[in-house]
Amino acid sequence: MKLPGQDAIARQAGEQLVTHQVKLPKKVVERPIRQVAKRLAMALLVLVATALIVYADRDGYNDNSDGSVDLLDAFYYATVTLSTTGYGDITPVGDGARLTNIFVITPLRVLFLIILVGTTLEVLTERTREEWRLNRWRSTLRDHTVVIGFGTKGRSAIQTVLATGLRRDQVVVIDPSSKVIDAATADGYAGVTGDATRSEVLKRAEVHKARQIIVAPQRDDTAVLVTLTARQLNRSAKIVAAVREEENAPLLKQSGADAVITSASAAGRLLGLSVLSPAAGMVMEDLIQQGSGLDLVERPVVKAEVGRGPRDMDDLVVSVVRGHRVLGYDDPSIGTLQLTDRLITIVRVTPGAQVAPDLRPLPRD
C-alpha cells in the first residue's frame, strides 16, 4: 500500500539535512541574549562616562598630534585606556587629570574588564555545565517513556501515563518543531528537536533504552516509518501508535507496533454512540477522560482472589489477561482466576488519586 505523501517525504529526506538538538528542562532564567545585551549596555555606559570625564578635564590632557583634546579625542582616549591598549598619544599632564586617572579612570577600567571577561567566563561555564548535565542525563536514563509528537494526542497520552505515577523526568518528547520542544521542556520534560524517522534522532532520545514508546505524529506515513525505526533500535519496548485511517493500522502492526489506536474511527464510534444513547456516550467519555470518574485499570490478581470467578470479584472486571491472550469476563475458558493472571477492571478514581502503573509489556506473538 502506498501512503499519501510518501514520495514527497522521500524527496525531502534526500534533499534536506535535518538538525536535531536535545533540550533538558531547566529553571526559568533570563535569556542569555538579554544578559549579554545588558552587560554590553553597562560597558558602553562606562565608556561614555569615562569619555565625558576626560572631556570635562580636557585642559589637563595633551594630544601629541595637535596639542588639544576634543570630544572625539576623549572617546578615543577612553576606548584605548579601558581596553588597556594605551598608545600613549593622548596623556594626562595636569595634576587634576592624573588624580582623576588614579581614582576614577582606573576603577572604571577594572569595571569595564570585569564586565567583558565576566560575560565570557559565564558563557563558557554555562556551556560546560549544560554539556555535563546532558552527559549525566544520558548515562542515567533507563526504562523511560519516549513520546513522538507533542500534539493533542501526545499531550493526552503523557498526562494519562503521568497520572499512574510516572515522573516527568522519565519522559522524553521528540518533535520537529523547536517551539513545541520549548513548550515540552517548560512543562518539565526532556525534548529532542528533529525528525523521528531518522535513527540518530531516536538515539539522542535513548530509544534503545526506553521501556515504552508512544508514536503520535500528525501523518500516518510518518507513524509507519517511526515505528519501523524504533522497533529496529529497541526489540523489547512496548510501542503504541496512533493513526488517522483504519486501513493503515495493519501496516503499523507489521512495522512492530504492539497496539494501534485509530483516532478517526474511535471518534466516529463515540459520536455515533452518543447519538443512539447519550447516556452511553457520557459513560464512554468518562472512561476516556483521565483523573476523575470512571477509569480502566490493569492490575495483578492478589492471593485472596485466586480461585474465584471474574463475576465474583468486588471490582467490575472487564477482561482477564492470561499469558498473551486478553479474554472477556464471560469467556468460559477462564474458569477461575490464577495468580499469574492480570485483571482489567473499571474503578472510580477521585481527583489526585494515582494508580500504580503497569509497565510490563505483553509478550509479542
Side-chain angles (χ1 to χ4, degrees):
M1 180 184 66
K2 187 174 183 180
L3 297 175
Q6 192 170 6
D7 293 338
I9 286 183
R11 288 195 300 270
Q12 292 177 1
E15 297 173 356
Q16 298 179 354
L17 178 61
V18 182
T19 59
H20 43 271
Q21 180 182 8
V22 179
K23 294 184 179 179
L24 300 181
K26 56 184 178 181
K27 297 180 180 180
V28 179
V29 295
E30 194 175 18
R31 292 183 177 179
I33 296 179
R34 185 174 299 176
Q35 292 182 7
V36 173
K38 280 186 176 182
R39 298 197 178 195
L40 287 176
M42 292 172 59
L44 289 175
L45 182 61
V46 171
L47 178 63
V48 172
T50 304
L52 294 178
I53 291 173
V54 172
Y55 183 72
D57 192 22
R58 57 187 177 276
D59 294 336
Y61 290 83
N62 179 57
D63 187 353
N64 295 332
S65 62
D66 56 9
S68 63
V69 176
D70 56 14
L71 185 59
L72 178 60
D73 294 331
F75 272 96
Y76 168 75
Y77 175 77
T79 302
V80 298
T81 300
L82 294 182
S83 62
T84 68
T85 304
Y87 293 116
D89 46 355
I90 300 178
T91 58
V93 295
D95 293 339
R98 292 183 177 182
L99 288 174
T100 301
N101 265 262
I102 295 173
F103 295 106
V104 179
I105 304 298
T106 298
L108 289 176
R109 182 188 301 117
V110 174
L111 178 61
F112 187 83
L113 292 176
I114 288 176
I115 292 173
L116 296 185
V117 176
T119 301
T120 304
L121 290 178
E122 183 173 347
V123 170
L124 292 177
T125 303
E126 181 64 25
R127 188 174 299 174
T128 303
R129 186 188 301 115
E130 189 65 23
E131 188 69 22
W132 176 84
R133 187 179 177 212
L134 182 59
N135 291 334
R136 183 176 179 275
W137 171 77
R138 286 174 175 168
S139 62
T140 58
L141 194 62
R142 294 287 188 281
D143 296 333
H144 57 290
T145 299
V146 177
V147 180
I148 300 167
F150 199 60
T152 303
K153 293 178 289 186
R155 291 175 186 265
S156 299
I158 293 178
Q159 292 174 1
T160 302
V161 176
L162 290 178
T164 64
L166 186 70
R167 303 191 313 273
R168 289 179 181 267
D169 58 2
Q170 284 293 105
V171 177
V172 181
V173 176
I174 302 177
D175 198 278
S177 172
S178 59
K179 292 183 179 180
V180 172
I181 293 300
D182 289 339
T185 55
D187 290 339
Y189 313 118
V192 178
T193 305
D195 183 3
T197 61
R198 302 173 65 89
S199 59
E200 59 265 28
V201 176
L202 295 179
K203 289 178 181 178
R204 282 186 170 267
E206 303 294 322
V207 165
H208 55 286
K209 296 187 291 186
R211 183 185 293 268
Q212 301 169 131
I213 302 173
I214 300 174
V215 182
Q218 298 297 325
R219 300 170 58 94
D220 288 1
D221 48 0
T222 303
V224 172
L225 294 176
V226 169
T227 303
L228 277 169
T229 309
R231 180 55 72 193
Q232 183 181 13
L233 295 175
N234 192 328
R235 297 290 182 181
S236 61
K238 180 191 293 184
I239 299 180
V240 180
V243 292
R244 294 178 179 270
E245 302 298 333
E246 190 171 359
E247 63 179 5
N248 295 329
L251 184 58
L252 264 169
K253 288 249 184 177
Q254 295 176 7
S255 301
D258 297 287
V260 179
I261 307 300
T262 308
S263 56
S265 63
R269 167 66 174 166
L270 183 58
L271 287 172
L273 184 62
S274 299
V275 170
L276 298 175
S277 175
M282 290 176 60
V283 173
M284 287 298 299
E285 187 176 1
D286 189 13
L287 285 172
I288 293 174
Q289 292 180 351
Q290 177 71 32
S292 63
L294 301 177
D295 202 358
L296 279 172
V297 175
E298 181 180 344
R299 66 171 181 85
V301 174
V302 299
K303 291 183 179 180
E305 297 170 340
V306 175
R308 299 169 61 181
R311 300 189 181 188
D312 300 330
M313 303 292 295
D314 297 332
D315 295 338
L316 182 58
V317 178
V318 177
S319 300
V320 177
V321 181
R322 178 169 293 172
H324 65 279
R325 297 181 302 163
V326 180
L327 306 174
Y329 71 95
D330 56 348
D331 194 318
S333 63
I334 295 177
T336 58
L337 297 177
Q338 303 174 9
L339 190 60
T340 56
D341 291 340
R342 299 183 67 84
L343 303 178
I344 299 177
T345 64
I346 296 179
V347 298
R348 180 163 295 278
V349 180
T350 56
Q354 289 186 345
V355 181
D358 173 38
L359 299 179
R360 180 179 66 90
L362 295 177
R364 296 174 55 80
D365 293 338

